[in-house]
Amino acid sequence: MGLQSCVNINKEWDIVGARQMGRDIAREIGFGTVDQARIATAISELARNIYLYAETGQICFEVIDNINQKGISMIAIDSGPGIRDISQVMEDGFSTSGGLGAGLPGVKRLMDDFDIKSEEGKGTEIRALKWVR
Amino acid sequence: MRIPILKLHNYLLISIQTEIDDHTAIQFQEDLLSKIHQSGSSGVVIDLTSVEIIDSFIAKVLGDVVTMSDLMGAKVVLTGIQPAVAMTLIDLGIHLKNVPTALDLEQGLIKLHQELGE
Ligand SMILES: Nc1ncnc2c1ncn2[C@@H]1O[C@H](COP(=O)(O)OP(=O)(O)OP(=O)(O)O)[C@@H](O)[C@H]1O
Ligand SMILES: [Mg+2]
């Protein structure tokens, strides 16, 4: 495991800041342009969800550098309202904000590994990971 | 930050050159619709060559702007979508099915000419 860097999300521009930081890290580790775009897009979705539904939160990145594998791991944490029905929000097209409902199912497809934990009234924690190919 | 909208004969041309945040995207939507109204333009090309990421929000704004312009009587063509952007859109499950696209600005203008029969 490598260095961890975090971005606080509490205003709209932080969404852009977070995805730029994630893309920079992804480029340094050696991800190609398409995967850099995938990672930046996933971060954008998670950061916007924090901003929209929890108002504030944090996204942290970690570089994974094993002997035979390199990758980026991200964790998005907030203490917002939480999610009652996780299987519902993972469906394409489900949105409580008039959005496309593409964010969470999209992040799952954009990344190699995806894990969501949430408790109503407590908050949400989403981990996602992508390996360099 | 505002995205500049250029007028060329009866077309409007937009080349998005900066990282777009949500507010800029919404502002652009408003600006474009009022410019269409003001100028009576029949066609619009939005060039996305320099755009490195389109997430679900920006995709929704772009899709909406096409539908809204259409309602007003102006045809919009999106051009220059990068390969990486096209791939991430598909991962997001966004197909922009009813949105006319072209490879580049020049092809976009040709497409408008054809569709508008001018
Ligand atoms: N961090 C969060 N805290 C609480 N609820 C959340 C959080 N993230 C997502 N949700 C809920 O899950 C739903 C689905 O999220 P998802 O990102 O897939 O779609 P969306 O944000 O509604 O639209 P889109 O992302 O396509 O613009 C949201 O509408 C919201 O109700
Ligand atoms: Mg979302």
Side-chain angles (χ1 to χ4, degrees):
Chain A
M1 291 283 170
L3 263 175
Q4 197 173 348
S5 12
C6 296
V7 211
N8 289 322
I9 309 295
N10 42 47
K11 54 183 189 302
E12 205 181 77
W13 186 258
D14 294 334
I15 302 172
V16 175
R19 69 186 185 221
Q20 282 174 347
M21 179 190 241
R23 183 192 272 271
D24 288 345
I25 297 172
R27 188 187 300 119
E28 272 168 44
I29 310 175
F31 280 101
T33 16
V34 177
D35 278 345
Q36 284 175 35
R38 288 196 170 104
I39 291 162
T41 306
I43 296 164
S44 199
E45 298 298 346
L46 295 177
R48 179 172 299 99
N49 282 355
I50 290 177
Y51 177 72
L52 279 182
Y53 309 116
E55 285 173 36
T56 61
Q58 211 180 33
I59 299 189
C60 295
F61 305 103
E62 197 161 23
V63 176
I64 306 171
D65 197 351
N66 297 337
I67 310 163
N68 45 11
Q69 246 180 343
K70 264 186 165 188
I72 185 170
S73 142
M74 58 180 86
I75 171 163
I77 309 175
D78 67 64
S79 327
I83 297 166
R84 191 181 339 139
D85 184 347
I86 291 192
S87 61
Q88 190 176 42
V89 300
M90 291 310 296
E91 275 169 32
D92 279 293
F94 177 83
S95 175
T96 56
S97 65
L100 294 176
L104 291 176
V107 173
K108 189 172 180 182
R109 286 189 292 261
L110 288 162
M111 304 292 286
D112 293 330
D113 211 50
F114 179 89
D115 180 52
I116 173 167
K117 289 193 186 76
S118 190
E119 202 176 326
E120 252 195 308
K122 291 229 166 120
T124 303
E125 183 181 312
I126 296 171
R127 284 170 187 276
L129 189 152
K130 195 157 190 77
W131 298 112
V132 179
R133 254 165 271 282
Chain B
M1 224 271 317
R2 273 173 121 114
I3 297 170
I5 302 173
L6 308 178
K7 187 173 177 311
L8 184 78
H9 305 295
N10 50 343
Y11 293 158
L12 297 177
L13 302 182
I14 300 98
S15 170
I16 300 181
Q17 295 288 343
T18 44
E19 179 88 43
I20 351 174
D21 64 304
D22 299 9
H23 179 77
T24 309
I26 295 292
Q27 181 73 58
F28 166 66
Q29 195 171 56
E30 278 179 36
D31 287 352
L32 181 59
L33 296 181
S34 57
K35 192 93 180 196
I36 290 171
H37 182 69
Q38 241 177 57
S39 64
S41 301
S42 54
V44 179
V45 179
I46 303 176
D47 186 57
L48 302 170
T49 307
S50 309
V51 173
E52 296 187 323
I53 124 163
I54 295 184
D55 61 13
S56 60
F57 182 82
I58 307 289
K60 179 168 161 36
V61 172
L62 286 173
D64 286 352
V65 93
V66 173
T67 312
M68 292 167 178
S69 306
D70 211 47
L71 278 171
M72 292 180 65
K75 191 122 215 109
V76 181
V77 179
L78 301 183
T79 62
I81 294 181
Q82 288 187 15
V85 171
M87 285 185 244
T88 54
L89 281 174
I90 297 303
D91 285 338
L92 287 174
I94 297 169
H95 299 267
L96 293 174
K97 274 211 191 76
N98 301 312
V99 178
T101 53
L103 267 178
D104 55 27
L105 197 62
E106 196 180 344
Q107 296 294 324
L109 285 168
I110 293 172
K111 188 156 189 160
L112 276 184
H113 272 291
Q114 286 167 347
E115 300 218 359
L116 297 168
E118 286 165 352

